[in-house]
Amino acid sequence: MTARITTMVLSMGMLLSSANVFAHSHTHGTPLSEAERKASEGVFENKQVKDRALSDWDGVWQSVNPYLLNGDLDVVMEKKARNDSSKTAAQYKEYYNKGYATDIDMIGIENNVIEFHRGDTVNSCQYTYAGHKILTYTSGKKGVRYLFECKDSQSKAPKYVQFSDHIISPRKSEHFHIFMGNDSQQSLLNEMDNWPTFYQYNLSKEQVVHEMLEH
């Protein structure tokens, strides 16, 4: 991908301009059907799961990890503790400290290319779809991960990537958990403690908090 810097539309400038264009047009899309709502809660039949294209995650995305570390999500942790007293707000925060942990600030996705921003360092690759896996958790609930692979041996982007966003069929994502590594897809499927989480880049801190409180 020697010419990727000049040919790829996911340059930093275009990422930010695209984000600004949509900054005032954030919507939740088509309302979830009853089946989609149940699936988002981890209740679905395997036959309901469909393949999805990487374009479902197109856009510019920000890590929510800085908000957690800054204390901006404390109100979210407090609500979780009120809804489920099995953990205190402090224990929830410790749990999410592990879950959200990442050094990636921003992710841009377009035309099957994923661009990872770590400070001033940017790594990217074109990814191909590698299928999906249905996982059953210890709680009895289920989830689906969508697998993608970077075939460019020269790229410093993760070789293996998995998306999980509580959606099990084609639909635009509104936030996602991402799993990344260079060992294998299976090693990522075994990862249950660290799931860096990204929301749309154009959302303000207050909007991110609102999204989390509403879901």
Side-chain angles (χ1 to χ4, degrees), residues 77-78 80-81 84-94:
M77 302 301 123
E78 291 163 5
K80 289 182 179 295
D84 182 353
S85 59
S86 63
K87 291 187 182 74
T88 65
Q91 289 171 327
Y92 272 111
K93 187 169 183 177
E94 182 181 357

Side-chain angles (χ1 to χ4, degrees), residues 2-95:
T2 56
R4 66 183 176 85
I5 298 301
T6 56
T7 60
M8 190 173 59
V9 297
L10 287 177
S11 67
M12 184 62 175
M14 293 192 72
L15 276 173
L16 294 177
S17 64
S18 297
N20 289 334
V21 167
F22 296 106
H24 301 290
S25 61
H26 172 69
T27 67
H28 290 280
T30 307
L32 295 178
S33 67
E34 182 63 15
E36 287 174 323
R37 185 190 64 76
K38 287 183 177 180
S40 73
E41 298 173 353
V43 180
F44 56 85
E45 296 182 23
N46 290 1
K47 65 182 181 182
Q48 293 176 267
V49 179
K50 308 298 181 185
D51 289 318
R52 297 170 68 190
L54 186 55
S55 57
D56 273 4
W57 295 274
D58 273 4
V60 189
W61 306 89
Q62 61 175 316
S63 168
V64 298
N65 193 47
Y67 297 138
L68 181 72
L69 298 179
N70 290 342
D72 297 319
L73 303 185
D74 286 356
V75 62
V76 178
M77 302 301 123
E78 291 163 5
K79 180 182 179 181
K80 289 182 179 295
R82 289 195 300 271
N83 291 342
D84 182 353
S85 59
S86 63
K87 291 187 182 74
T88 65
Q91 289 171 327
Y92 272 111
K93 187 169 183 177
E94 182 181 357
Y95 171 74

Side-chain angles (χ1 to χ4, degrees), residues 116 127 130 147-151 157-162 178-188:
F116 301 89
Y127 285 80
L147 286 53
F148 297 87
E149 296 185 6
C150 167
K151 305 290 188 181
K159 184 174 182 180
Y160 303 104
V161 171
Q162 299 176 3
I178 189 169
F179 303 79
M180 303 160 285
N182 295 315
D183 294 335
S184 66
Q185 294 286 14
Q186 185 57 51
S187 65
L188 291 183

Side-chain angles (χ1 to χ4, degrees), residues 24 39 43-44 65 70 90 99 102 104 122 126 132 142 146 151 155 164 174 178 201 205:
H24 301 290
V43 180
F44 56 85
N65 193 47
N70 290 342
T102 182
I104 296 175
V122 182
Q126 183 168 353
H132 63 261
K142 295 192 292 186
Y146 289 89
K151 305 290 188 181
S155 173
S164 175
E174 293 182 357
I178 189 169
Y201 182 82
K205 173 183 66 180

